[in-house]
């Protein structure tokens, strides 16, 4: 124990003078490979006491983050236990700390091992995020009594994530979840054309029923919940609007209708260049979830749990539903993906257009988003 303390004290003393901390990271990886996860947690706990001090240096934060990453993505019950020990004592790293930690843990460990977070030291925010990270991965929570008991207790209904179901919807089955390793992570960008049945602009504007815009500031915010992070934390822009038709709009008239509504994202678009496709609701949910959970060009999004919440909030607004009824309503509505070569879209990697027509053909909601690096 004395040697361990001496070793950690020496690392803390030498860290501020290092121009490269890869040697310390390599040592930590070696200790973990030898089964000494406790050493990483002990070193992390020692660093945690200095992270918010006036003399804190980048080396402290870099090594601390590396230790958290190693413990959270390397499978093993002991690694989970030590990761939780470190996370419980660490200074809160903004709203993203628990969200990212839950995503890392859920991606790297057996669900049964993660039950330790619901017995030992862990914040309720980390637990709430873990619950929904596991749901997204198709885990049957009832098979892990300790997690199920926490997630179904009355206290969870008061948490923002408590409004979400504890089972995975069929619409969520193909959610793009990030892959993590000790070296980094990766995720999909499921934007652009959705490769479904193409619609054409055969109908003229004169054949369309009159439309009235009913967008309100509250509706704009609700529609764009999934992509709000693109505008707030990156270079993104969003167009979110709702229209009511005097008589039902035929599905085949949707392309022509989009061109007559005065959408900023389609300004000066010629009918021949507008691409509109029917879109299964599961594909729409997949796009919204990716936008919310992984973020845009310059941010990392809300991660799985809060990404799930934001995606369903956008679905509810797009389909004129409440959160509890959003799944059934989404299945009943008509969904479309659209894009066009206009200056509004940056056309780099983060671009999509979605439109939702209610079953009666009277309400059309549009959400378009774009971001750039």
């Amino acid at each position: 124990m004395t040697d361990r303390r001496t070793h950690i004290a020496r690392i803390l003393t030498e860290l501020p003078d290092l121009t490269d901390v890869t040697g310390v990271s390599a040592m930590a990886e070696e200790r973990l490979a030898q089964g000494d996860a406790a050493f990483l947690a002990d070193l992390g706990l020692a660093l945690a006491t200095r992270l918010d001090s006036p003399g804190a240096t980048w080396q402290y934060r870099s090594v601390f983050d590396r230790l958290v990453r190693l413990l959270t993505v390397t499978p093993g019950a002991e690694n989970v236990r030590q990761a939780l020990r470190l996370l419980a004592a660490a200074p809160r790293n903004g709203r993203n700390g628990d969200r990212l930690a839950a995503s890392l843990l859920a991606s790297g460990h057996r669900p049964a091992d993660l039950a330790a977070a619901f017995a030992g030291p862990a914040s309720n925010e980390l637990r709430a995020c873990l619950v929904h990270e596991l749901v997204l991965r198709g885990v049957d929570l009832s098979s892990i009594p300790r997690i199920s008991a926490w997630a179904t207790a009355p206290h969870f209904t008061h948490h923002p994530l408590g409004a979400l179901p504890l089972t995975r919807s069929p619409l969520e089955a193909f959610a793009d979840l990030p892959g993590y390793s000790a070296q980094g992570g990766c995720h999909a960008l499921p934007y652009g054309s959705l490769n479904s049945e193409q619609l054409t602009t055969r109908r003229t504007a004169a054949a369309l029923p009159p439309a009235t815009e009913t967008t309100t500031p509250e509706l704009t915010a609700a529609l764009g919940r999934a992509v709000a992070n693109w505008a707030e934390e990156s270079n993104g822009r969003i167009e979110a609007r709702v229209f009511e038709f005097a008589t039902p709009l035929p599905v085949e008239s949707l392309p022509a209708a989009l061109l007559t509504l005065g959408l900023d994202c389609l300004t000066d678009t010629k009918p021949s260049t507008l691409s509109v496709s029917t879109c299964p609701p599961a594909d729409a949910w997949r796009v919204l979830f990716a936008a919310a959970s992984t973020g845009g060009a310059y941010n990392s999004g809300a991660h799985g749990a809060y990404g799930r919440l934001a995606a369903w909030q956008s679905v509810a607004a797009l389909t004129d539903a409440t959160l509890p009824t959003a799944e059934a309503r989404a299945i009943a509505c008509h969904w479309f993906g659209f894009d066009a070569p206009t200056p509004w879209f940056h056309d780099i990697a983060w671009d999509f257009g979605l439109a939702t027509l209610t079953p009666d053909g009277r309400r059309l909601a549009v959400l378009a988003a774009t971001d750039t690096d």
Side-chain angles (χ1 to χ4, degrees):
M1 181 60 73
T2 301
D3 289 344
R4 180 187 295 263
R5 290 174 179 168
T6 301
H7 189 187
I8 289 174
R10 185 170 69 250
I11 292 172
L12 294 178
T13 300
E14 296 173 352
L15 264 181
D17 297 324
L18 297 179
T19 58
D20 187 329
V21 297
T22 55
V24 179
S25 296
M27 177 274 301
E29 288 188 52
E30 183 178 352
R31 295 293 288 258
L32 186 61
Q34 295 169 353
D36 194 2
F39 177 84
L40 277 69
D42 288 342
L43 175 57
L45 290 169
L47 285 166
T49 62
R50 305 189 178 200
L51 291 179
D52 292 333
S53 65
T57 65
W58 66 266
Q59 293 93 334
Y60 290 153
R61 170 56 67 180
S62 179
V63 172
F64 179 84
D65 289 345
R66 183 63 175 167
L67 297 172
V68 170
R69 173 62 69 102
L70 288 170
L71 289 170
T72 52
V73 303
T74 307
E78 178 61 12
N79 295 342
V80 171
R81 193 175 76 83
Q82 296 299 335
L84 294 171
R85 178 172 160 242
L86 177 54
L87 290 167
R92 297 269 72 81
N93 186 22
R95 72 176 190 182
N96 200 44
D98 286 323
R99 299 180 186 187
L100 174 58
S103 187
L104 292 168
L105 285 165
S107 72
H109 297 277
R110 296 189 314 123
D113 290 340
L114 295 176
F118 298 82
S123 70
N124 280 335
E125 183 65 10
L126 177 64
R127 291 169 177 165
C129 291
L130 267 177
V131 164
H132 289 288
E133 289 282 357
L134 292 174
V135 170
L136 283 167
R137 289 164 174 78
V139 175
D140 179 4
L141 297 184
S142 66
S143 67
I144 312 172
R146 185 170 289 167
I147 298 180
S148 179
W150 189 91
T152 56
H155 67 84
F156 197 26
T157 61
H158 302 294
H159 191 281
L161 296 176
L164 292 171
L166 296 177
T167 56
R168 187 173 66 178
S169 161
L171 301 187
E172 300 173 299
F174 301 104
D176 291 299
L177 296 168
Y180 297 111
S181 70
Q183 284 67 48
C186 61
H187 60 81
L189 294 172
Y191 310 122
S193 297
L194 296 174
N195 298 319
S196 298
E197 181 183 353
Q198 293 283 321
L199 300 180
T200 60
T201 53
R202 293 177 183 171
R203 296 210 169 206
T204 64
L208 299 174
T212 302
E213 182 163 7
T214 58
T215 311
T216 63
E218 293 76 18
L219 259 179
T220 296
L223 291 164
R225 201 79 68 194
V227 285
N229 69 85
W230 290 19
E232 295 168 357
E233 302 168 3
S234 189
N235 298 317
R237 58 175 168 246
I238 303 164
E239 184 167 16
R241 298 167 69 178
V242 177
F243 303 87
E244 297 283 348
F245 291 94
T247 58
L249 177 73
V251 168
E252 62 269 22
S253 297
L254 192 281
L258 288 175
L259 293 175
T260 65
L261 296 175
L263 296 171
D264 294 336
C265 63
L266 296 181
T267 298
D268 296 330
T269 297
K270 297 179 180 179
S272 61
T273 64
L274 174 64
S275 174
V276 181
S277 304
T278 58
C279 172
D283 286 358
W285 192 92
R286 178 172 174 245
V287 167
L288 293 168
F289 173 72
S293 63
T294 61
Y298 279 111
N299 67 316
S300 57
H303 303 291
Y306 280 91
R308 186 185 189 216
L309 176 62
W312 280 114
Q313 288 172 330
S314 282
V315 168
L318 283 163
T319 60
D320 196 24
T322 62
L323 204 57
T325 63
E327 179 185 5
R329 183 70 166 173
I331 293 171
C333 285
H334 305 284
W335 290 83
F336 310 87
F338 69 88
D339 59 59
T342 73
W344 192 91
F345 288 105
H346 293 297
D347 196 23
I348 295 177
W350 304 271
D351 306 271
F352 72 84
L354 288 173
T356 311
L357 186 65
T358 49
D360 63 4
R362 299 289 293 271
R363 180 185 187 270
L364 179 67
V366 176
L367 174 63
T370 185
D371 196 10
T372 183
D373 52 15

